[in-house]
């Protein structure tokens, strides 16, 4: 386990080429700002109007350099899962394909309860499923709809550990390296270590580093006691 605090693209540039077995990540998209400003998504903690000091929005204009670096660090025969809302998915998919990824399909994370909004209030999020080279999923019987309740009163836009655990089980083997350039609450790291994988995480926010380190340290202590 290793955690860093840096701009995501800058951090990725420090990693060796073809060294990563799986990328699971959830960037803070531009669309979050738009939805927050009109009150159609949760107003995140420590926020003032549409600005939020918990994290910096990652602009869509930087997707080409982000996906190029993710493609470079990934091994041939590996998967990349990108959490996204439906609006950003239309932007991200062609840029990732231009970087060299094969796009398979969007997975649907069903949160079981509806969120905020006005027009057909959303109860799902998309996870774009990309591949570099060719890698078989570990279980071909898993559905493309992942039903796990949303996290309540957690870190902004926090993802359940159970969702990442499923993706990690599907696309890696024990001891493989999983990375998350936008680790947020550290849920991908918890899922990776709980599944017997290695983990490298990064985020630019102070709160992310503090929370993730605390969660992963507690997990390691629990493992030593068991």
């Amino acid at each position: 386990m290793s955690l860093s605090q840096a701009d995501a693209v800058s951090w990725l540039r420090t990693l060796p080429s073809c060294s990563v077995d799986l990328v699971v990540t959830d960037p803070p998209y531009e669309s979050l700002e738009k939805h927050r400003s009109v009150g159609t998504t949760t107003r995140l903690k420590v926020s003032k109007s549409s600005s939020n000091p918990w994290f910096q929005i990652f602009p869509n204009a930087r997707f080409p350099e982000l996906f190029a670096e993710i493609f470079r660090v990934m091994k041939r025969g590996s998967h990349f899962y990108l959490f996204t809302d439906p609006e950003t998915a239309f932007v991200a998919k062609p840029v990732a394909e231009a970087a060299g990824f094969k796009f398979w399909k969007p997975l649907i994370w069903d949160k079981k309860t509806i969120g905020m909004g006005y027009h057909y209030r959303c109860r799902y999020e998309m996870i774009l499923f990309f591949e570099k080279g060719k890698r078989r999923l570990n279980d071909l019987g898993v559905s493309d709809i992942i039903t796990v309740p949303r996290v309540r009163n957690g870190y902004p836009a926090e993802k359940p550990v159970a969702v990442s655990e499923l993706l990690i089980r599907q696309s890696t083997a024990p001891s493989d390296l999983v990375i998350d350039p936008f680790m947020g609450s550290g849920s991908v790291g918890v899922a990776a270590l709980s599944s017997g994988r290695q983990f490298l995480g990064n985020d630019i926010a102070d709160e992310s580093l503090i929370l993730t380190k605390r969660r992963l340290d507690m997990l390691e202590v629990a493992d030593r006691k068991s």
Side-chain angles (χ1 to χ4, degrees):
M1 177 191 76
S2 177
L3 305 180
S4 301
Q5 184 174 16
D7 171 78
V9 175
S10 299
W11 176 71
L12 286 164
R13 287 174 176 154
T14 69
L15 303 183
S17 297
C18 304
S19 62
V20 172
D21 296 289
L22 175 65
V23 179
V24 182
T25 198
D26 178 28
Y29 300 110
E30 274 185 18
S31 56
L32 287 173
E33 284 291 288
K34 185 185 79 173
H35 296 314
R36 264 206 327 277
S37 66
V38 296
T40 56
T41 192
T42 303
R43 291 193 179 276
L44 304 182
K45 298 179 180 179
V46 202
S47 64
K48 295 180 180 178
S49 300
S50 64
S51 62
N52 187 339
W54 276 64
F55 55 67
Q56 297 179 21
I57 292 298
F58 190 85
N60 293 349
R62 297 193 66 195
F63 281 168
E65 59 178 337
L66 174 67
F67 296 146
E69 283 304 310
I70 290 176
F71 188 86
R72 179 188 65 81
V73 303
M74 289 174 57
K75 293 179 181 177
R76 191 83 180 164
S78 59
H79 293 153
F80 167 33
Y81 294 102
L82 183 76
F83 285 88
T84 179
D85 65 5
E87 179 177 343
T88 306
F90 286 100
V91 179
K93 174 185 175 290
V95 179
E97 289 177 314
F101 287 105
K102 174 182 175 60
F103 175 69
W104 276 105
K105 66 186 310 181
L107 308 180
I108 300 301
W109 167 34
D110 176 8
K111 304 177 184 181
K112 299 185 71 173
T113 55
I114 60 174
M116 299 179 68
Y118 301 117
H119 304 114
Y120 302 107
R121 292 168 62 180
C122 188
R123 65 174 261 177
Y124 76 93
E125 194 163 328
M126 299 172 74
I127 308 169
L128 302 187
F129 173 33
F130 296 102
E131 186 176 51
K132 177 180 178 179
K134 188 174 182 180
R135 182 187 184 111
R136 182 184 175 90
L137 291 168
N138 290 332
D139 183 354
L140 296 180
V142 174
S143 168
D144 58 2
I145 299 178
I146 304 168
T147 304
V148 177
R150 69 175 74 237
V151 176
R152 298 285 186 181
N153 302 314
Y155 189 87
E158 182 172 348
K159 301 301 182 287
V161 171
V163 176
S164 294
E165 282 180 333
L166 185 149
L167 303 177
I168 289 167
R169 289 197 306 270
Q170 281 288 77
S171 297
T172 62
S175 299
D176 278 356
L177 176 59
V178 180
I179 72 166
D180 184 353
F182 302 91
M183 67 186 177
S185 67
S187 60
V188 173
V190 173
L193 296 186
S194 298
S195 304
R197 276 61 168 174
Q198 302 178 68
F199 177 68
L200 298 179
N202 172 78
D203 204 288
I204 202 166
D206 295 335
E207 291 82 1
S208 172
L209 269 290
I210 294 168
L211 176 58
T212 300
K213 186 176 188 307
R214 181 166 67 241
R215 293 182 75 180
L216 298 188
D217 285 348
M218 290 174 61
L219 185 62
E220 289 187 336
V221 169
D223 286 344
R224 288 196 295 268
K225 289 182 178 179
S226 61

